[in-house]
Amino acid sequence: MLSAFTARPLVELKQRDKSKIESVLAYGDRLLVGLNTGCLRIYRVNEAIDEPPSQDEETKADQRPTSQPGPKTVDLLREQEKFSKQRIEQLALVKEANILLSLSNGYVHMHDLQTYSLQETLAKSKGAVTFAITSNVVRDASTGINSIITRLAVAVKRRLLVWTWHDGELEAENTEMTLVTGIKNVIWASNSRLVAGLSFSYVLVDIESSVITDIVGPGSIGGAPGQDGGRFGGAGVAGMGYLGLSAPKPLATKLGEGEMLLAKDINTLFIDMDGNSVGRRQIPWAVAPEAVGYSYPYLLALQSARGMLEVRNPKTLKVLQTISLPAASQLHVPQPNISLAHAGKGFLVLSERCIWRMQALDYDSQIDTLVELGRLDEAISLLGMIEDALLKNKMSRLREIKMLKAQLLFDDRKFRDSIDLFTEISAPPEAVIGLYPPLIAGSASVSYHGNSDLKADGSPDDKIQGAGYHDRKSGKDNDENDETSGIAAKQTAADQAARPDSQTGSDKLLEGKDLKSATEELRGFLVSARTKMKKVLNPDGTLKAEGLEEISGSELGSLLVKTSFDASRDQEVLLDTAKLVDTTLFRAYMFVSPSFAGPLFRIDNFCDPDVVNERLIEARRYNDLVDFFYGKKLHRQSLELLQRFGEKEPIDAVPELAGPQRTVAYLQNLPPEMIDLILQFAEWPLQKDPELGMEIFLADSENAETLPRQAVLDFLQHVDSKLAVRYLEHIINELNDTTPFFHQRLVDIYIEGLKADDFPDDNARDKWKEKTLNFLKTSKNDQAYKVLGQLTTDDPKLFEARAIVLSNMGQHKQALDIYVFKLQDAEKAEEYCNQIYLTETASAPSSRRPSITENEDSHPSIYHNLLSLYLSPPPPHKPQWGPALNVLAKHGARMPASSTLNLIPEVLPIKDLESYFQGQIRSAKTVANEGRVVAGLRSALAFSEEAKLRLGDCLPGGNGGRNRRIVITEDRVCGVCYKRFGGSAIKVMPNALWLFGEIAASIFSDIDAASLGGILGLLRQHCKRSSISRDTP
C-alpha cells in the first residue's frame, strides 16, 4: 500500500498531565494547543529536523506511530493558563488584524496574537456552536484595487452571524441570517458563499445576496427542499433512522477548485460551488467517519471507532493508505491563508493526549510506489491532479505510465483499450509493434525471445508451443531508448503486483482469434502514426519544412522513442520508423483483410519491397504487387512480372495478368525519361498484338506524345517497318510534327514500298500509292531534290509521284510533260493546271481581271504551257488537237489572246475555234461591263455623300449640312481657347467644333502638316502662342 504520509508525534501530554487536547492551530513555526482546562500552550516547531522521511524509514500502514528518541520536534514557549475559563473548543487566526479567535463557553473571543490577552468578546455570538473563517484577495469593481477580505461565520443555533475584516479593519456592522433548523457545521466554499450543515440537510448560503439554496442529496445528506421538518428536524424523513439516537454530525470539506464534499453518516455528495451535484458516485465507507478533510491532493477521512485515518484518491475514491492513529478524533488542515502545509507538506491529527504531524513523501516517490504496486490507474489519476511544478517531468512520467498501462491491457487481451491508450499518448510505433509476433511485426518483434518460427496462419510451431513471450526487451542499448527502457524496468514489478496469479493471459502465445483481434486494433494506431509522419516526410524520404513548423519536436520525438527531435540527426531514424509503420500496416492488412493492401500501394508509402514481394507472391496477389512496384518506382521488377505472366498461355497464366494488356497500360504511364525501359519491354506486346502494342506510342496522352520520337522510330523500324510507317503518319498527321527528318523518312519508306511492289493485291497497292501521292502533295518539309533522285524516269509506278515532286520544285512544264506524254491523262493534266492557276491567283497581290489584249508575262500561264505541249509537242510526239481545243474552250479566257493565237497552227479550221472565240468575246464583254458598273456605283456614292454635306442626313440630332441654324448664347465658348464669343465672328467645323473666325483663319494653313486626328491639338497649340486676346462682353 502507498505510504503517502507518515505519522510522527508532535506533542504528547505527559501521564501526570490530566489535561485533554481540545483544539489546535498551526501557523508558521507556531503551534497553539487549546486544552479542556482553558489553558493555551504555545509551541515552536523545529523545522530543521522536519525533513521528508526516506522510503525505507516510512511507517507501514498497519504499524502504529511511536515516539523516537532524539532531538525535540517542538519546544514549549509559553503556557497561558487563564486564556479561558472553559475548554477551548476551536482556534482560528485573522493574520491581517493580528487577532487570534477562540470558541469557548459558547462565545467567540478575540485575543491579541502576540500577548494572547483578551481584546473583545463578540456578545452576539452567545450560544455559538462552531465558526469558520476565510480570507481572500478581492478586487474592488469600482476602483480596481485589491483588498484582503476576511470573513468570520459563527453558527448560533439557527442563526448565522458573519463579521468582516477589510484590510485588517473590522467592520462595525455584521450580517445575520436565520436558517430553518439548528446549524451543526459551517465551511466556506468561496469568499462569499458557505455551506451550512443542519440537523438533517445542507444549505448553500450566499452572504452578499442573502440567498439560501437547499442542497439535495442521497440518504442522510438531505432530501427535497423543505424536508428538514422545521425546528423539530427529528420528525423529518431523513431523521427517522436516528430516533432515540444522536444524529451524526454533518461533515464537509472543500476539495480542489470548484468542488466540495458533503458527508453524513456513510452517505456522501460531491457538489460544485453552486450547490449542484457533479454526478459522482458515493464513497464506499463501511463506517461513518468522524472527520473529513483535504490535504492536496488527497481526501482524508478519520474513523475514530477504528482508530484509522484513510487516505483516498478524490477522483477514483480508492483507498491509497490507511494509518493507525489510536483515539484520534480531529483533523486540522491549515487554511491556505494561514499556512502552505496543506499543499502536500502535511497536516495535523489530534487525540485527547497526542498531536501527530503527517509528513508527506515527495510526489515523485509516491508515483514510483504506485507503479511498483501495479496501481497504474491511481498513479495516472494522481499525476493528473498534481501541478506540473511539483513533479519532475510530469508529462513524460504520465506518458510513461500510460504506456505501461496500455502494455498491461494488451497482455490481458484488452486490445481495443490498449491500442486506444497507445494512440492517445502517441506511443512510439516501435514499442507497440514490438508487442506482436513476427508474423505482424517482423524483425521488430520482441515478444518471442527471438523465435520467428511461425506457421503461415500465425500459430507457432510445436517446438515453441510452450514458450511465452512476456519477457520484454528494453529496446536498443543507447540513449535514444530511455523511455522504453524505463517502462521495461518497471514491467516485471508491475506485472507481479497486478497479477498475483502466475497463469495470466500474457503467458500464452498471441495467436488465432486473439491475434486477429489485436491486429484489427493495431491498424488504427498505425494509420494515426502514418498520418503524423506524412506531415513531415516527403514521398522521397526528405523532410518537409512546413511540416516541421506545424508539428512540435516533442511530438515527433515521441514517434522515435525520444524526448525531442533533431532534423539533422534524426531524419534517417524517422525514415526507418516510417518504413516500419508502413510495412507493419501491410502485414496487418494481409493477415486480417488482404483486400485493403491494394489501396495502400496506390498512395505514397514506405513499405519494405522485399517483405511486400514475398508476402504478395505467397498470397498470389499479383495485381497488388504490380501496383506496389509502380508506386515504389521499381518498374523493371514490375514489367518483368507482367512479362512473365503475360507471355504464358491463358490457361496457365494468372487471369488478370494474361496477355499484353496490363503491360501496355503500365508502359503508357511511364514518363518519357524511361524510354530505354519502355522500348525494352514494348517489343513483346508488339509481337503478340501489334495493334494493341502500338497504343504505347499512339495513345492520346501526354506521355505518348512526349516520348523521344527518333528513338521510338528506330525501335519500330527494327521491329516492323509497317509499325514505323504508322508511327510516322501519326506524329506528322495527328501531332503536326514538322521535323524534316521525319517527313523525309516517311517519303523514303513510301517510295521504297512503291519500288518493291510487294503488295498482296491491287487494292493494297492502290491505297499505298494514294497515301504516297497525298503526302507528297501536302508535305512541305521534305527535301525535294533527294526525293527526285529516288524517282527514276523509266518506272511507270513513279511517274505521277515524280510529277508531284517536280511541281513542288516549281518545274510545272516538266510535270505537265509527264501527265501529257508519259501518263497520257488529259484530265489529270487539266486538273493540275487548275490547281496551279488557283494557287497563283490566290497569292497574287491584286485581284484585277487581266485584259485579253495585254502582253504575255515573263512567266507564261500554266494553261499556255499545257497548250504548247498539245499543239507543239517535242518529237517524236504528235500534236493532240482534241485536248488542245478542250483547253482553249474551257480556259482560253485565262490566256492572253496574242500569244495563244500564235500557238494555233494555220491548218486548224476556224470552225473548231468557235468555242474559243466565244469565250474570248464573253470575257472581254465581262471586263467592259464590270468597269461601267463600278463607275456608276462610284458616281452614285459621290452624289449621296455630297447631298449629306449640303443638305444633311435628315436624322434627329444628326448632320444638318450647310442648311444648319446655330444659336449663339452667352454660354457658348470657343473650343480652343474656351472664351465666350460675344459679338465676334465665329466658324463652325463639320464636327460641331466652335471657333473664333480669326483663330480658324490663322491656323488652317497648317492642316496639311497635321493629321486629321490631331486637328484639335493643333488648334489649341496655336491658340496658346497666338497673341489674340479678347474681353468677355
Side-chain angles (χ1 to χ4, degrees):
M1 183 171 287
L2 176 67
S3 295
F5 298 98
T6 302
R8 296 205 173 185
L10 195 62
V11 174
E12 289 183 290
L13 299 183
K14 298 179 180 180
Q15 292 184 359
R16 63 170 179 253
D17 189 349
K18 304 302 180 182
S19 302
K20 297 180 180 179
I21 300 174
E22 293 289 340
S23 59
V24 65
L25 173 65
Y27 67 95
D29 62 346
R30 294 293 186 267
L31 178 65
L32 307 183
V33 180
L35 305 179
N36 64 337
T37 59
C39 177
L40 179 69
R41 293 180 182 177
I42 299 93
Y43 294 90
R44 180 181 64 205
V45 181
N46 299 319
E47 292 291 347
I49 65 170
D50 188 16
E51 298 179 354
S54 62
Q55 193 167 356
D56 295 338
E57 298 175 352
E58 292 175 0
T59 305
K60 295 184 179 180
D62 57 348
Q63 290 181 342
R64 295 186 178 184
T66 57
S67 302
Q68 299 290 338
K72 292 183 177 181
T73 57
V74 295
D75 293 326
L76 180 62
L77 300 180
R78 183 176 178 181
E79 185 171 358
Q80 194 77 11
E81 293 184 357
K82 297 182 179 181
F83 184 80
S84 176
K85 296 180 181 179
Q86 301 292 333
R87 64 189 182 96
I88 306 173
E89 301 176 25
Q90 196 171 351
L91 292 171
L93 175 68
V94 183
K95 187 176 182 180
E96 296 75 22
N98 203 29
I99 292 176
L100 175 66
L101 299 175
S102 66
L103 174 60
S104 177
N105 197 23
Y107 285 94
V108 175
H109 307 279
M110 294 192 300
H111 305 265
D112 184 87
L113 187 58
Q114 303 298 327
T115 62
Y116 305 105
S117 60
L118 179 64
Q119 291 184 344
E120 182 182 356
T121 298
L122 301 178
K124 291 185 178 181
S125 65
K126 181 180 180 181
V129 178
T130 183
F131 67 81
I133 191 168
T134 183
S135 182
N136 302 275
V137 177
V138 179
R139 179 182 292 274
D140 189 277
S142 59
T143 63
I145 300 175
N146 293 333
S147 302
I148 299 178
I149 305 298
T150 302
R151 286 190 172 97
L152 170 67
V154 181
V156 181
K157 298 182 181 179
R158 294 173 54 204
R159 292 183 301 143
L160 181 65
L161 307 175
V162 179
W163 282 268
T164 303
W165 282 264
H166 190 283
D167 287 335
E169 296 294 332
L170 179 64
E171 296 182 357
E173 299 295 330
N174 67 299
T175 303
E176 181 175 341
M177 301 177 68
T178 303
L179 306 184
V180 293
T181 59
I183 304 172
K184 303 300 181 180
N185 191 14
V186 291
I187 183 170
W188 287 96
S190 64
N191 64 324
S192 61
R193 292 183 177 185
L194 59 82
V195 173
L198 308 181
S199 299
F200 300 102
S201 66
Y202 289 86
V203 294
L204 180 67
V205 181
D206 192 318
I207 303 300
E208 295 179 348
S209 62
S210 300
V211 175
I212 300 174
T213 305
D214 292 302
I215 299 175
V216 179
S220 58
I221 295 296
Q227 191 172 308
D228 232 322
R231 299 181 64 180
F232 305 99
V237 176
M240 294 299 292
Y242 306 111
L243 291 177
L245 301 173
S246 60
K249 179 181 178 182
L251 306 177
T253 183
K254 186 176 180 181
L255 302 177
E257 288 296 329
E259 193 171 341
M260 294 186 68
L261 171 66
L262 308 182
K264 190 171 186 182
D265 200 353
I266 59 173
N267 298 307
T268 58
L269 177 66
F270 291 92
I271 63 172
D272 56 19
M273 294 298 102
D274 295 326
N276 301 318
S277 173
V278 297
R280 296 175 56 189
R281 64 186 181 91
Q282 296 192 50
I283 300 176
W285 278 324
V287 179
E290 184 70 21
V292 294
Y294 178 74
S295 180
Y296 181 86
Y298 298 108
L299 174 63
L300 310 173
L302 182 62
Q303 297 179 344
S304 301
R306 300 171 57 190
M308 305 291 287
L309 175 67
E310 284 186 353
V311 180
R312 290 179 180 266
N313 184 328
K315 297 296 183 182
T316 64
L317 306 182
K318 296 292 183 63
V319 178
L320 300 179
Q321 184 181 6
T322 302
I323 304 174
S324 176
L325 299 171
S329 58
Q330 294 185 45
L331 283 175
H332 174 72
V333 180
Q335 296 296 326
N337 62 307
I338 298 177
S339 172
L340 294 178
H342 74 291
K345 293 186 178 180
F347 56 94
L348 302 179
V349 180
L350 55 149
S351 66
E352 292 182 351
R353 305 291 299 174
C354 182
I355 300 176
W356 291 276
R357 181 168 190 170
M358 311 305 294
Q359 291 181 302
L361 187 67
D362 66 279
Y363 293 122
D364 292 292
S365 300
Q366 294 182 37
I367 299 299
D368 292 339
T369 301
L370 288 173
V371 173
E372 292 174 1
L373 294 173
R375 306 190 69 174
L376 302 182
D377 288 329
E378 299 299 328
I380 293 171
S381 176
L382 188 60
L383 281 168
M385 293 186 292
I386 300 175
E387 296 180 1
D388 297 359
L390 302 177
L391 289 168
K392 298 177 182 178
N393 301 323
K394 173 183 174 179
M395 298 311 298
S396 62
R397 290 292 306 280
L398 180 61
R399 183 168 180 268
E400 177 183 333
I401 295 174
K402 284 185 176 181
M403 285 186 63
L404 185 58
K405 177 185 176 182
Q407 191 167 332
L408 293 178
L409 289 172
F410 189 90
D411 293 340
D412 289 339
R413 302 302 193 256
K414 299 177 181 179
F415 303 118
R416 173 166 296 183
D417 295 338
S418 173
I419 297 301
D420 287 347
L421 190 54
F422 276 130
T423 305
E424 174 190 341
I425 61 178
S426 298
E430 182 180 352
V432 180
I433 294 171
L435 300 174
Y436 287 78
L439 178 67
I440 304 299
S443 60
S445 175
V446 295
S447 304
Y448 281 84
H449 304 286
N451 290 324
S452 59
D453 298 329
L454 297 177
K455 298 180 181 178
D457 59 353
S459 61
D461 286 342
D462 295 337
K463 62 181 180 181
I464 61 169
Q465 184 67 35
Y469 63 92
H470 188 61
D471 185 21
R472 311 294 182 197
K473 294 183 179 180
S474 61
K476 301 177 182 178
D477 296 330
N478 52 34
D479 296 338
E480 297 183 358
N481 292 281
D482 294 339
E483 190 170 6
T484 53
S485 61
I487 297 174
K490 300 181 178 67
Q491 177 68 40
T492 303
D495 284 348
Q496 293 176 353
R499 305 184 187 89
D501 187 0
S502 60
Q503 299 298 326
T504 62
S506 64
D507 292 332
K508 298 186 297 182
L509 291 174
L510 188 60
E511 56 185 351
K513 293 182 178 180
D514 287 341
L515 179 58
K516 186 173 183 179
S517 176
T519 306
E520 287 178 346
E521 301 301 332
L522 177 65
R523 292 185 302 176
F525 172 81
L526 294 177
V527 170
S528 175
R530 192 175 187 278
T531 303
K532 294 179 181 177
M533 291 186 176
K534 283 182 63 177
K535 293 180 180 179
V536 296
L537 276 180
N538 290 310
D540 59 355
T542 58
L543 294 176
K544 294 181 180 178
E546 63 277 8
L548 292 176
E549 295 175 358
E550 295 177 2
I551 191 169
S552 63
S554 59
E555 188 174 355
L556 270 178
S558 66
L559 298 175
L560 308 180
V561 203
K562 299 181 67 174
T563 57
S564 62
F565 178 78
D566 187 343
S568 59
R569 293 188 294 105
D570 299 329
Q571 177 179 353
E572 196 67 28
V573 180
L574 183 63
L575 182 58
D576 292 341
T577 304
K579 291 179 180 178
L580 174 63
V581 169
D582 283 357
T583 305
T584 306
L585 182 60
F586 160 72
R587 291 193 182 101
Y589 281 148
M590 291 300 296
F591 181 70
V592 177
S593 52
S595 60
F596 285 1
L600 176 64
F601 301 146
R602 298 184 186 100
I603 58 177
D604 296 326
N605 62 83
F606 297 96
C607 294
D608 187 347
D610 296 335
V611 175
V612 174
N613 186 35
E614 178 183 354
R615 296 294 295 273
L616 290 180
I617 289 179
E618 290 177 0
R620 297 178 62 85
R621 300 187 68 86
Y622 301 107
N623 266 328
D624 292 339
L625 183 57
V626 171
D627 291 338
F628 172 74
F629 281 147
Y630 181 82
K632 301 299 288 184
K633 294 182 172 51
L634 300 174
H635 302 300
R636 181 172 296 276
Q637 292 89 321
S638 180
L639 290 170
E640 289 174 351
L641 180 67
L642 290 173
Q643 183 177 3
R644 187 198 322 163
F645 289 103
E647 290 180 337
K648 293 181 180 181
E649 293 298 328
I651 193 172
D652 299 326
V654 180
E656 60 270 16
L657 300 183
Q661 290 84 358
R662 282 299 303 273
T663 301
V664 170
Y666 194 99
L667 292 174
Q668 286 177 333
N669 290 319
L670 294 183
E673 295 78 13
M674 309 190 71
I675 183 62
D676 294 337
L677 190 65
I678 294 174
L679 298 180
Q680 177 182 351
F681 287 93
E683 185 171 357
W684 77 267
L686 288 171
Q687 294 174 350
K688 194 160 189 175
D689 189 345
E691 189 67 26
L692 179 63
M694 282 302 294
E695 289 299 316
I696 301 172
F697 311 107
L698 306 183
D700 186 14
S701 64
E702 183 179 358
N703 286 343
E705 293 177 3
T706 55
L707 289 173
R709 295 172 181 175
Q710 178 69 48
V712 174
L713 181 59
D714 295 341
F715 168 74
L716 294 176
Q717 186 69 34
H718 169 73
V719 175
D720 190 346
S721 60
K722 294 180 181 179
L723 301 179
V725 172
R726 283 194 61 188
Y727 182 70
L728 286 170
E729 291 174 345
H730 172 74
I731 63 175
I732 293 174
N733 299 330
E734 301 294 335
L735 305 183
N736 299 320
D737 194 320
T738 58
T739 305
F741 174 79
F742 296 134
H743 285 253
Q744 185 64 39
R745 186 74 172 271
L746 183 57
V747 169
D748 295 343
I749 296 176
Y750 279 152
I751 294 176
E752 290 175 2
L754 289 176
K755 289 180 178 181
D757 198 17
D758 185 14
F759 300 103
D761 51 31
D762 293 339
N763 188 25
R765 181 185 299 105
D766 293 340
K767 287 184 178 180
W768 184 269
K769 183 178 180 180
E770 183 181 358
K771 288 196 300 182
T772 304
L773 298 179
N774 290 335
F775 184 72
L776 289 174
K777 292 177 182 179
T778 57
S779 176
K780 304 300 180 184
N781 298 290
D782 55 0
Q783 298 175 344
Y785 68 93
K786 289 186 177 180
V787 178
L788 188 61
Q790 300 180 55
L791 299 173
T792 59
T793 59
D794 56 352
D795 191 346
K797 299 186 296 296
L798 305 179
F799 285 163
E800 191 170 355
R802 184 176 179 84
I804 295 175
V805 174
L806 289 171
S807 174
N808 293 337
M809 298 175 67
Q811 300 178 13
H812 302 299
K813 191 169 184 178
Q814 290 86 334
L816 287 173
D817 184 273
I818 295 175
Y819 284 116
V820 173
F821 300 115
K822 293 185 177 181
L823 293 176
Q824 297 181 1
D825 192 336
E827 292 182 0
K828 288 187 177 180
E830 182 181 356
E831 182 182 356
Y832 174 77
C833 291
N834 292 338
Q835 293 177 357
I836 299 302
Y837 178 80
L838 292 175
T839 303
E840 292 177 350
T841 303
S843 61
S846 174
S847 61
R848 181 180 63 87
R849 184 186 295 271
S851 173
I852 62 176
T853 59
E854 63 184 3
N855 295 329
E856 186 179 359
D857 297 331
S858 58
H859 299 286
S861 171
I862 187 64
Y863 295 105
H864 188 276
N865 293 334
L866 179 60
L867 184 61
S868 64
L869 290 176
Y870 283 143
L871 297 178
S872 303
H877 303 289
K878 297 180 180 181
Q880 301 180 28
W881 305 110
L885 292 175
N886 187 39
V887 171
L888 287 172
K890 291 182 178 179
H891 308 289
R894 297 176 178 177
M895 297 181 290
S898 58
S899 59
T900 303
L901 291 175
N902 291 334
L903 292 174
I904 299 175
E906 297 179 356
V907 297
L908 189 65
I910 297 299
K911 183 179 180 180
D912 294 341
L913 298 175
E914 179 182 0
S915 60
Y916 167 69
F917 289 120
Q918 288 177 353
Q920 287 288 8
I921 294 171
R922 189 181 296 111
S923 177
K925 288 291 185 180
T926 300
V927 173
N929 292 336
E930 181 179 347
R932 286 194 293 269
V933 170
V934 171
L937 292 175
R938 287 180 177 176
S939 176
L941 179 62
F943 179 80
S944 175
E945 293 297 325
E946 184 177 1
K948 287 183 180 179
L949 290 175
R950 290 179 179 273
L951 304 177
D953 53 13
C954 300
L955 295 176
N959 182 18
R962 291 185 177 183
N963 200 25
R964 287 184 298 174
R965 290 179 175 83
I966 300 171
V967 179
I968 303 299
T969 64
E970 294 183 356
D971 297 331
R972 294 285 187 180
V973 295
C974 176
V976 176
C977 62
Y978 303 108
K979 293 182 179 180
R980 286 187 291 180
F981 292 112
S984 303
I986 64 173
K987 189 175 185 64
V988 182
M989 304 299 293
N991 62 350
L993 178 65
W994 304 68
L995 302 174
F996 283 108
E998 297 177 2
I999 294 177
S1002 63
I1003 66 175
F1004 263 82
S1005 59
D1006 298 335
I1007 290 180
D1008 293 340
S1011 62
L1012 293 178
I1015 290 178
L1016 182 59
L1018 181 62
L1019 292 174
R1020 290 177 178 171
Q1021 292 177 6
H1022 183 82
C1023 184
K1024 289 182 179 179
R1025 62 175 180 262
S1026 176
S1027 59
I1028 299 175
S1029 62
R1030 291 177 172 82
D1031 296 329
T1032 304

